[in-house]
């Protein structure tokens, strides 16, 4: 998987949000608000380029006190939502 081009993480009024920039994402007409751990995972995905759920779960375990099983479950749910709204491919 990888992030679709043109989606970036910004802080707006103290809240982390993904916004669309550029022509490729002209149909994306909203901000996507992220909690702290989801914003962290978006940043890690940016650094990785191509990534897997397993890699992001490992990053989540390194940063937060969470079991690998719970991390993988949470990452899979988050990635499903990100795919549904079209910000990763």
């Amino acid at each position: 998987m990888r992030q679709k081009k043109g989606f970036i993480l910004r802080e707006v009024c103290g809240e982390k949000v993904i916004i669309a920039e550029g022509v490729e994402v002209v149909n994306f007409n909203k901000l996507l608000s992220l909690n702290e751990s989801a914003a962290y995972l978006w940043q890690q995905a940016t650094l990785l380029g191509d990534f897997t759920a397993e890699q992001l779960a490992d990053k989540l375990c390194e940063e937060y006190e969470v079991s690998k099983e719970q991390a993988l479950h949470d990452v899979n749910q988050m990635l499903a939502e990100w795919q549904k709204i079209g910000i990763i491919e």
Side-chain angles (χ1 to χ4, degrees):
M1 283 177 255
R2 75 180 303 109
Q3 296 167 336
K4 283 192 177 176
K5 193 174 202 161
F7 291 99
I8 57 171
L9 180 66
R10 293 277 191 245
E11 188 166 330
V12 177
C13 298
E15 190 170 337
K16 302 259 196 252
V17 295
I18 293 175
I19 61 172
E21 290 187 333
V23 174
E24 301 89 3
V25 291
V26 76
N27 291 329
F28 188 82
N29 60 3
K30 63 181 178 178
L31 298 176
L32 175 62
S33 180
L34 301 178
N35 65 22
E36 181 182 324
S37 58
Y40 171 77
L41 289 174
W42 184 264
Q43 292 168 327
Q44 294 306 305
T46 300
L47 293 172
L48 290 168
D50 289 319
F51 60 87
T52 65
E54 183 83 19
Q55 288 173 306
L56 291 182
D58 288 341
K59 295 292 185 182
L60 197 60
C61 288
E62 290 171 12
E63 186 69 15
Y64 299 94
E65 291 183 25
V66 61
S67 71
K68 178 66 180 261
E69 181 181 37
Q70 184 63 52
L72 193 54
H73 176 266
D74 293 349
V75 166
N76 281 323
Q77 283 189 323
M78 181 194 64
L79 291 177
E81 181 64 25
W82 287 359
Q83 284 180 315
K84 180 180 171 184
I85 61 175
I87 61 174
I88 62 171
E89 52 192 5

